[in-house]
Amino acid sequence: MFEDLIEAFCGLEPQVSPGSRAGQRGRGLDEDEGAGSSLSVGQFVLCHWSDGLYYLGKIQRVSPPRQSCFVTFEDNSKFWVLWKDIQHAGVPGEEPRCSVCREAEPNPDSQSNQNNQILICGKCGIGFHQQCHVPAVEGSSVLSPWFCRRCVFALAVRKGGALKKGPISRALAAMKQVLPYHLDALDWDSQHRTNQQQCYCYCGGPGEWYLKMLQCFRCQQWFHEACTQSLQESMMFGDRFYLFLCSVCNKGSEYVRRLSLRWVDVVHLVLYNLSVSSKKKYFELDEIMTFVSANWDHLQLGKLSNTPPAERGQHLLDALNKYKSKFLCGKEIKKRKCIFRLRTRVPPNPPTKLFPERAQNDGGRGLKKGIFRNSASAERRKRKSKWLLEDAIPNNELSCSWTSNHHMANIFDFTLDELQSLKSSSSRTVSIDQDSTDASTSGSASTSASYHFR
């Protein structure tokens, strides 16, 4: 069980670096800068990955300028991980100290010292002032054991969705009412899919929009499948056919509704998932039909789910032959006519009918928060209308420290030559019709490179 991994991790005594810590900052995206003083070579840590899960690794190098560590994982893969995404254990016997403000005594500016005591997490052993923790811990008497935000997420997240029952599940639901960062402070790309800080979801960890993440209809932030508690079925890679409201925007529990799919969307989603999980570029029609049959219920097809098995193959073939802007048949390049691939290996787009409604919602929120917010939303929508191929390839500024052409080529099954040719043509505007998809991709290393402990 994952709880056993947490227990084993917390039982490891960390080696604290004797170097001085970096400058102290307030609560938000930069509050983990001081964590670098608690990280050292040879230390075992839990690393927050882009799938929302945590993986056990060992630090090989610490880089203060990059605010990251070079970590080796159990499967011998090695990656740079930002300090903000590293969970370490407290030092046994050390004087209780708040990991946020770095003070050993209650904050004198607090309303009452009785309501701002230093709490020690029952899992990782790290201390927090009641008012420094996010969300703030209310009351003078706190139940024991008490778990900090990070440990609650580490205990609750799962592939397919977080825990839905039990005390850890209830603690997670409470944590998700507040984000541990300022959403307005994130620097997004033109299509609002990646941000420079690599900060997503309730957990504030890294993420990849084109894998298993849900985008909130209101705030447009992306949320890991592993951190959500509203899904009835686990997600497919790149499946954005959901109407989702996060707990913060919905002021309570999450809301999710499955959107309808057309046959062209089904074929696109299936080919994308096959290409992500396989090194092949082309797939036989029989392979496509076998994948659809094996995942028929998992695809959540709505009205299409009533299609008789004998008719499914013809619907799939018709979509493959009709939408030539999406799918490439082998006969076009003098190969067999019964093999197909995606022309551009990106997930399918959800229905565009939702976007006008989203614009109205954004406008309403803008009026409440002032003219600046309204103008900012309008500018963001204006930028989103520019479907440029240059956004398909992440630049160095918006990619995290371990992003490389090799990793992106591995995820999308590009050859490096193809990837370079896409970059060379990035100045051209991509024409978008009603049934075409955009070519926006970004991200870091494949999440399959790390071992998942259960």
Side-chain angles (χ1 to χ4, degrees), residues 2-37:
F2 192 75
E3 292 84 349
D4 298 331
L5 171 63
I6 298 288
E7 293 289 357
F9 159 71
C10 294
L12 297 172
E13 182 173 346
Q15 303 169 8
V16 182
S17 171
S20 60
R21 64 180 176 89
Q24 177 181 329
R25 297 190 185 181
R27 185 189 309 182
L29 290 173
D30 301 314
E31 70 178 23
D32 292 291
E33 182 172 330
S37 62

Side-chain angles (χ1 to χ4, degrees), residues 19 47 63 96 117 120 147 242 257 261 271 352 370 372 390 441:
C47 296
S63 175
Q117 300 296 317
I120 305 299
F147 300 147
Y242 293 92
R257 178 168 63 85
L261 284 80
L271 279 176
T352 55
F372 176 78
E390 62 186 2
T441 63

Side-chain angles (χ1 to χ4, degrees), residues 332-372:
E332 295 185 37
I333 53 175
K334 298 181 180 180
K335 291 188 176 183
R336 289 175 296 161
K337 64 179 181 180
C338 60
I339 59 175
F340 300 89
R341 61 167 286 186
L342 290 174
R343 290 189 181 271
T344 307
R345 294 174 186 84
V346 293
N349 271 339
T352 55
K353 294 180 181 179
L354 293 177
F355 292 118
E357 185 178 345
R358 171 183 284 174
Q360 293 175 5
N361 289 342
D362 286 345
R365 290 190 299 119
L367 290 176
K368 293 181 180 180
K369 296 190 176 183
I371 299 177
F372 176 78

Side-chain angles (χ1 to χ4, degrees), residues 211-223:
L211 294 180
K212 294 187 177 183
M213 297 192 77
L214 294 167
Q215 187 177 30
C216 179
F217 186 70
R218 288 182 181 167
C219 68
Q220 299 186 54
Q221 175 61 291
W222 294 86
F223 295 84

